[in-house]
Amino acid sequence: DAMVIQNPRYQVTQFGKPVTLSCSQTLNHNVMYWYQQKSSQAPKLLFHYYDKDFNNEADTPDNFQSRRPNTSFCFLDIRSPGLGDAAMYLCATSRDQGTGSEPQHFGDGTRLSIL
Amino acid sequence: GQNIDQPTEMTATEGAIVQINCTYQTSGFNGLFWYQQHAGEAPTFLSYNVLDGLEEKGRFSSFLSRSKGYSYLLLKELQMKDSASYLCASMDSNYQLIWGAGTKLIIKP
């Protein structure tokens, strides 16, 4: 089945130790998104790629970086995780942008814990 | 500013009907989405409305009034598996989703 896959499902890292979360998709969608979601809060968009075009949200901390080496893969790098970065990180894709009816398809998320 | 309001929590009984309301204020409007999110899992797409009126999909229906900036999700014949959070999201003029914090729906037997 075509899908969005995130690895790992659970990630534990130490305060200040860099961590990378990965996302892959078999949907061949042009757009990939990274969201941060804390308990009982709305998903917060960190950045998105339209193909190779990177779009950073204005309030995304510099501590968060992303890479999209090809259509299928996208990575989220947290350079120096702080306690406030503990959250669920959601990867999503959509076929296109600028098409209102196009839903976003989510992976199962990576729950990040900081020790 | 951009804002989505929905109740934090609702409780309903198995077999009953529940309506979850959402009001939105966004810069431009390109449609309203509803997603279901079970605890610890990713959101899954439920419905999309861009025109006024009711869209029905089995036990779930979604309504939109653009003039009022208002939508609701109607769930019929509630089942225990419907216990989840329901997120309302409005698509703005840049085709970005502005998300609500979700309504946690608790189903009691």
Side-chain angles (χ1 to χ4, degrees), chain A:
Chain A
D1 287 338
M3 54 193 351
V4 182
I5 302 163
Q6 289 188 243
N7 284 305
R9 288 293 308 275
Y10 301 91
Q11 175 73 57
V12 181
T13 191
Q14 291 179 334
F15 183 94
K17 185 174 180 182
V19 66
T20 295
L21 310 182
S22 73
C23 177
S24 64
Q25 54 127 344
T26 60
L27 296 161
N28 204 32
H29 282 176
N30 287 321
V31 194
M32 294 187 79
Y33 307 82
W34 278 106
Y35 288 91
Q36 178 194 65
Q37 188 181 27
K38 297 187 177 180
S39 182
S40 301
Q41 294 185 21
K44 179 183 182 304
L45 182 64
L46 297 173
F47 18 62
H48 73 277
Y49 281 90
Y50 183 83
D51 197 12
K52 294 181 180 179
D53 183 24
F54 176 72
N55 297 272
N56 196 33
E57 293 302 299
D59 57 354
T60 298
D62 292 340
N63 196 27
F64 291 85
Q65 303 286 318
S66 183
R67 297 169 282 136
R68 189 179 185 186
N70 54 51
T71 302
S72 301
F73 285 88
C74 197
F75 299 96
L76 171 62
D77 301 307
I78 309 177
R79 293 193 294 191
S80 182
L83 296 178
D85 298 328
M88 174 78 91
Y89 289 88
L90 296 165
C91 174
T93 72
S94 64
R95 188 175 57 183
D96 214 336
Q97 201 173 21
T99 306
S101 63
E102 196 61 42
Q104 293 181 15
H105 301 265
F106 285 83
D108 286 336
T110 295
R111 182 165 294 283
L112 179 66
S113 300
I114 315 292
L115 299 180

Side-chain angles (χ1 to χ4, degrees), chain B residues 14-102:
Chain B
E14 189 177 16
I17 299 173
V18 71
Q19 178 175 310
I20 303 173
N21 295 325
C22 170
T23 58
Y24 64 89
Q25 268 185 307
T26 51
S27 303
F29 181 75
N30 280 298
L32 194 291
F33 291 80
W34 283 96
Y35 280 79
Q36 180 191 61
Q37 186 176 26
H38 285 100
E41 297 182 12
T44 54
F45 169 71
L46 289 178
S47 68
Y48 170 75
N49 294 67
V50 68
L51 299 177
D52 286 354
L54 188 69
E55 295 275 345
E56 297 190 66
K57 262 189 193 181
R59 292 190 299 115
F60 292 9
S61 303
S62 55
F63 172 83
L64 177 68
S65 168
R66 292 178 66 144
S67 61
K68 294 181 179 176
Y70 168 69
S71 174
Y72 67 72
L73 181 69
L74 191 72
L75 292 76
K76 302 177 187 175
E77 301 169 18
L78 286 170
Q79 301 174 9
M80 297 303 293
K81 68 178 182 179
D82 298 330
S83 293
S85 285
Y86 292 85
L87 290 91
C88 171
S90 174
M91 183 169 275
D92 69 10
S93 57
N94 293 320
Y95 296 94
Q96 296 298 334
L97 285 179
I98 309 302
W99 294 85

